[in-house]
Structure formats: C-alpha cells, structure tokens
Amino acid sequence: MTTLGFLYPGHFAEDDFPRMEILLDAVRLVVNHTDVDEDDYGTDALTRTGTPERLAAGVTELQRAGVESVVWVSSGGSFLYGWEGAHEQTAALARVAGVPASSTSFAFVHAVRELDAARVAVAATYPEPVAELFTAFLHSAGIEVAATRAAGLASAAEAAAWGLDEVKDLVTAADRPEADVMLLPDTALHTVAHVAELERLLGKPVLTGNQVSVREGLRLADRRSWSPRLGRIFAEREAPPAPVATWGAGRARAHGGRKGWSGRQTHSGW
C-alpha cells in the first residue's frame, strides 16, 4: 500500500480524494486541511494560504500517517508565488516533511509534459487577473497557452457549489481547436466525477487540480496506478524506454524537466 499526503486549504472539494482512492489500486490518500483566514480569490488572500508557516503546521499529521510524498493542493496558493517562489515554497515543504514535496501548479506542468502536449487551453474559475498569472506560470515552464477563460468567481465556496453544467459551459468557452489539453486549475472545483465526460465532450485530455495533484503524489513516490475513469493521464499505457543518462543530465533535468517517471525527488525534479 502506497500512502500519499496532501495539504488541502479549507473544506471545499476534498471529497474528490476519497473518490480517487476508491478508483486507484493499493493507494491510500491522506488529506490534512490547512487554515484559510479569508475565502477570497484576490491575490493577497490566495498567497497567504501558502505561507511556509501554514504549510509546516499541516505536516505533522501526514508524517504520523507515514506518507511517502506530500503535495500542497492549491494552484492559486502556489503559482502566485511565481516560478522561483513556488520552487522555494515546495523545497521548504520537503525539508519540513522529510519526504519529496510538490504543489498543484507543478503537477500541471508535469502532467502536460507527460501527455506530450504542444499547447493547452485554461478554463479558470478565478478572476481574470489571477487566471492570467496562472497562464504566466505555465509560460515560465515553457508551455504554450492557446487561450485562457476566466469565470470571475470571487471565492472557493462559489467554485465548490458548481455542478457539471457550469463546468461544461466553462470548458466549452475556453476550448480552442489548436489546444491539445484542457486545464482546470481550481482545486475547490468538484471535477473528479466528471473528467471522463468532459474528455468525451471536448475530444481531448482534461487535467484538473485535484486529479493532477494525486498524479504528482504518485510521481514523487515513484509509484504507478491507473484508472481510465480519472482521465487519459491515468489511462494505462506502456512506459517509454528510459533515456541513457549522461554526466550532468541529472542537474539539467532538475531545472528543465523531462517526461516519464523518475525516482524520489522534490517538486522540481523534472
């Protein structure tokens, strides 16, 4: 049994995790909730959710559960720190937790690379300025964004209240023919039950915040688990052959990323 740890801000769409645990084989998903002092989709409030003190405070319970990796399940609470700041955030989390650590923002980057996507579309529940900062984060990772659609919601509670119809409307408005993958970054949005249907609707892979967070936890734990009901990123397929390592390749991967699975590393191990 592989045990993965997740730090989740507040209480919004955390029921996505027991659903994924049921669908995945021999994987235990342990969720610990961090404090949210203000449920607001402004940049200041979102940034405060990801301070080192708040993340460190949530680690103890995960350590007691014997987790093999930790993921900070917040897009806004990570990408708003910028590319370098988000790396520093999860490096600090890894030091405190004593296991590999990452965040939802990096999970999106790694999932897009795994799918070999040339460009993506973003369907964000956030206000437009926040959605644009997520797009900028993706650009920092070398990911081309064909279009970004911002729904302009004011809080995570509003996002958590959305059903399938609202999500369908958002992804349909955000989609572009040239986009290979659709991204829904908000971890407060209930999406896990809808991924397969959204992929049928769009005819392309759909990546969502909670879904890719679990994929990231598995990656860090060097563990594979498959369930087509969780979308194409979880559809079983033969792994490509590992490239022949060369001197200095590890350092290049740490800064530039690579596709495929690797050993136990922290957030920026790809």
Side-chain angles (χ1 to χ4, degrees):
M1 176 72 71
T2 299
T3 302
L4 310 177
F6 302 90
L7 294 174
Y8 188 96
H11 297 266
F12 300 104
E14 66 270 26
D15 49 326
D16 272 357
F17 288 86
R19 183 184 297 271
M20 287 186 281
E21 186 176 78
I22 291 170
L23 294 174
L24 295 171
D25 179 49
V27 175
R28 180 184 176 214
L29 308 180
V30 180
V31 178
N32 194 25
H33 298 272
T34 61
D35 291 336
V36 176
D37 57 10
E38 182 181 7
D39 178 20
D40 179 81
Y41 275 173
T43 56
D44 289 344
L46 286 171
T47 302
R48 287 197 302 274
T49 66
T51 61
E53 296 78 15
R54 290 196 176 185
L55 299 189
V59 164
T60 302
E61 291 300 317
L62 299 182
Q63 291 173 319
R64 290 173 180 166
V67 300
E68 298 175 40
S69 64
V70 174
V71 178
W72 164 226
V73 187
S74 174
S75 293
S78 51
F79 71 74
L80 285 174
Y81 282 78
W83 184 252
E84 294 300 328
H87 278 77
E88 293 170 1
Q89 179 189 58
T90 50
L93 178 58
R95 288 193 296 270
V96 172
V99 295
S102 188
S103 68
T104 303
S105 295
F106 289 116
F108 274 110
V109 171
H110 297 149
V112 169
R113 290 174 178 171
E114 185 175 345
L115 291 171
D116 291 319
R119 60 191 60 84
V120 304
V122 174
T125 54
Y126 312 125
E128 188 170 346
V130 176
E132 289 175 350
L133 290 170
F134 181 60
T135 299
F137 185 89
L138 295 175
H139 285 156
S140 297
I143 296 172
E144 182 180 345
V145 180
T148 299
R149 182 79 173 190
L153 299 189
S155 68
E158 289 184 42
W162 270 24
L164 178 58
D165 289 341
E166 290 91 345
V167 177
K168 281 184 173 180
D169 289 344
L170 179 59
V171 299
T172 302
D175 194 26
R176 295 293 184 275
E178 63 271 25
D180 301 312
V181 181
M182 176 63 65
L183 275 56
L184 290 105
D186 195 347
T187 60
L189 194 64
H190 293 87
T191 56
V192 167
H194 311 316
V195 171
E197 185 168 349
L198 294 174
E199 291 192 338
R200 288 192 295 270
L201 172 68
L202 300 179
K204 63 187 62 175
V206 172
L207 299 176
T208 76
N210 294 330
Q211 169 216 48
V212 299
S213 295
V214 171
R215 188 70 174 178
E216 184 77 343
L218 288 165
R219 182 188 75 84
L220 292 175
D222 197 21
R223 172 76 157 85
R224 292 172 181 265
S225 189
W226 311 101
S227 175
R229 291 172 63 181
L230 293 177
R232 292 191 207 175
I233 192 66
F234 276 100
E236 185 171 5
R237 59 188 183 277
E238 185 178 353
V244 177
T246 58
W247 182 258
R251 181 175 178 82
R253 287 196 299 270
H255 293 278
R258 71 174 178 92
K259 304 177 185 69
W261 290 74
S262 62
R264 296 171 180 267
Q265 301 177 39
T266 56
H267 57 94
S268 58
W270 291 21

